[in-house]
């Protein structure tokens, strides 16, 4: 006999763990299937810290979702034994008229978020880790900070377990198909399961399960570095908000010291390497390290001590860098959360709520029009 559930969630990483938790909390019989471990370091949701910020330069329409995400993270944290969200404030900086600075300010103004505009000198006076060109501007927003992604996944899975969900790790989904009664059948390398609906949260592997995502949700290799600061007090969480920075070398981001004895940084689209998530260079190279170190030496010289750690990770980019949150037009019993384009983790708590809505009702009250599949 085939194992039968209300909903199956394919992939229990950042988004899938939140989805199983929301579904189980609503009394739904949910099965989560994960090919690796819970949590693991082969996808997109590892590396100890993820930026949470509200001054969203990408688009002001993200701000209501971010407010809801923050409420849900705090709620999750309240019944977990570890802190999940650390508030350090956030900095978005670059040349004064750069879209990153302007967009960040616009989101604050449209949504009444508290913020301060700092000149380069004011920024360095307050946060002495920075050495930016004189004509740069920074937007400081006090509610930003960072999440601990591995702990967030564990907290969501704990909550799902307490509400009766079944989650199976080390069980790889091989394919899914619609059934004659409007449900789905999912085959793994261990067994077959049926359900009324399916949520696909397979991260960098999403296009393997949704034809419409082919060429739309594209995996890209990323690299993170942690460098030992020469001046540790400049890079402590109380003294060093999370940041995004546009410079001629690209758009970079970083964190205060947390969990590893080094300050962490990365470059968006690192070396622009589109990859097969099952076959790429997982080990960071000296060229990867050089790119990040040269940036740190120039803009955060007091932070550019010996390397403590490096890791690779995967972005899954869409053509417009906005997410895909939708049901499949030809199979409305299948919901998809994909293409989080390097900025999705902070939303995982609210994405879980949205995908639970889509799986159960086919619609949600959240504003997700800009994430529809048919925009491509
Ligand atoms: C280096 C880096 C830095 C980032 N920084 C930030 C940041 O600061 N702030 C922020 O908000 N976002 C950030 N992001 C983006 C964010 O981390 C991602 O958008 C988010 O983690 C995506 O979650 P996901 O659930 O889609 O993917 P994942 O967490 O990878 O989950 C997908 C899951 O599906 C599973 N899966 C795939 N195929 C199968 C199968 N066949 N069977 C069963 N399971 C399967 C995978 O094993 C995986 O566990 C960053 C990403 C990277 C890589």
């Amino acid at each position: 006999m085939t194992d039968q559930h209300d909903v199956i969630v394919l992939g229990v990483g950042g988004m899938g763990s939140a989805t199983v938790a929301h579904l189980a909390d609503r009394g739904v019989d949910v099965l989560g299937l994960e090919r690796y471990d819970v949590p693991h370091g082969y996808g997109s949701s590892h590396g100890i810290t993820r930026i949470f910020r509200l001054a969203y330069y990408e688009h002001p329409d993200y701000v209501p979702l971010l407010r809801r995400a923050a409420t849900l993270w705090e709620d999750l944290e309240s019944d977990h034994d570890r802190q999940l969200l650390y508030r350090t404030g956030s900095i978005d900086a670059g040349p004064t008229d750069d879209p990153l600075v302007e967009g960040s300010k616009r989101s604050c103004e449209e949504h009444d978020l508290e913020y301060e505009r700092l000149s380069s000198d004011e920024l360095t006076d307050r946060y002495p880790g920075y050495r930016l060109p004189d004509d740069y501007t920074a937007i400081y927003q006090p509610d930003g900070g960072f999440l601990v992604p591995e702990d967030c996944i564990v907290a969501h899975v704990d909550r799902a377990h307490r509400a009766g969900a079944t989650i199976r790790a080390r069980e790889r989904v091989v394919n899914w198909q619609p059934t004659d009664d409007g449900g789905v059948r999912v085959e793994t390398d261990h067994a077959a399961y049926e359900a009324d609906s399916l949520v696909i949260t397979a991260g960098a592997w999403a296009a393997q399960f949704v034809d419409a995502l082919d060429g739309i949700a594209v995996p890209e290799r990323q690299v993170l570095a942690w460098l030992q600061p020469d001046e540790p007090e400049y890079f402590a969480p109380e003294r060093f908000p999370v940041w995004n920075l546009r410079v001629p070398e690209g758009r970079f981001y970083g964190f205060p010291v947390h969990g590893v004895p080094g300050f962490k940084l990365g470059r968006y689209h690192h070396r622009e390497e589109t990859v097969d998530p099952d076959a790429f260079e997982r080990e960071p190279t000296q060229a990867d390290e050089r790119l990040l170190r040269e940036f740190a030496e120039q803009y955060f010289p007091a932070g550019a001590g010996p390397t403590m750690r490096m890791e690779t990770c995967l972005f899954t980019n869409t053509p417009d860098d906005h997410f895909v949150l939708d049901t499949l037009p030809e199979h409305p019993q299948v919901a998809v959360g994909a293409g989080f384009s390097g900025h999705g983790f902070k939303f995982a708590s609210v994405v879980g709520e949205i995908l639970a809505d889509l799986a159960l009702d086919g619609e949600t009250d959240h504003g997700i029009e800009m994430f529809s599949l048919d925009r491509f």
Side-chain angles (χ1 to χ4, degrees), residues 7 37 54 75 138 142 167 170 173 259 291 304 337-338:
V7 184
D37 294 321
L54 288 147
D75 177 60
I167 290 152
R170 295 194 171 243
V173 173
L291 185 156

Side-chain angles (χ1 to χ4, degrees), residues 10-15 33-36 40 43-45 50-51 171-173 201-203 205 209 222 224 253 255 313-315 340 342-346:
L10 194 177
V12 186
M15 307 302 166
L33 295 168
E34 169 53 50
R35 65 182 281 179
Y36 293 117
H40 67 84
S44 305
S45 298
R50 285 289 183 274
I51 290 177
E171 180 156 353
R172 187 169 64 85
V173 173
T201 45
W205 293 266
F209 298 101
Q222 302 299 311
L224 296 162
Y253 58 93
F255 304 76
C313 186
L314 290 164
F315 277 3
F340 292 99
H343 63 117
F345 195 87
K346 62 183 81 61

Side-chain angles (χ1 to χ4, degrees), residues 90-244:
S90 65
I91 296 280
D92 292 297
T96 297
D97 55 0
D98 191 272
L100 189 151
V101 177
E102 284 302 308
S104 164
K105 188 163 78 71
R106 179 176 161 215
S107 277
C108 291
E109 286 176 350
E110 279 192 24
H111 292 280
D112 287 327
L113 295 169
E114 189 182 337
Y115 80 96
E116 279 178 81
R117 191 184 175 105
L118 303 174
S119 69
S120 180
D121 282 350
E122 288 167 336
L123 183 69
T124 307
D125 282 350
R126 197 184 294 185
Y127 306 116
Y130 284 85
R131 284 289 175 280
L132 302 189
D134 288 346
D135 56 348
Y136 275 33
T137 295
I139 302 295
Y140 169 74
Q141 206 288 320
D143 303 310
F146 62 86
L147 291 153
V148 182
E150 293 87 347
D151 288 347
C152 292
I153 290 173
V154 170
H156 271 134
V157 168
D158 272 350
R159 180 172 272 194
H161 277 158
R162 284 198 301 275
T166 305
I167 290 152
R168 299 187 186 282
R170 295 194 171 243
E171 180 156 353
R172 187 169 64 85
V173 173
V174 180
N175 67 46
W176 68 270
Q177 67 234 23
T179 53
D180 293 341
D181 61 358
V184 289
R185 178 182 165 85
V186 174
E187 281 170 31
T188 74
D189 52 4
H190 285 48
Y193 306 92
E194 288 189 0
D196 299 337
S197 53
L198 171 67
V199 180
I200 298 177
T201 45
W205 293 266
Q208 293 179 3
F209 298 101
V210 181
D211 291 345
L213 291 177
D214 195 25
I216 297 296
V218 179
E220 185 189 27
R221 178 179 180 271
Q222 302 299 311
V223 181
L224 296 162
W226 284 258
L227 307 180
Q228 179 194 359
D230 296 330
E231 303 283 354
E233 67 280 10
Y234 294 177
F235 296 88
E238 318 75 65
R239 252 346 245 304
F240 195 67
V242 297
W243 52 271
N244 268 276

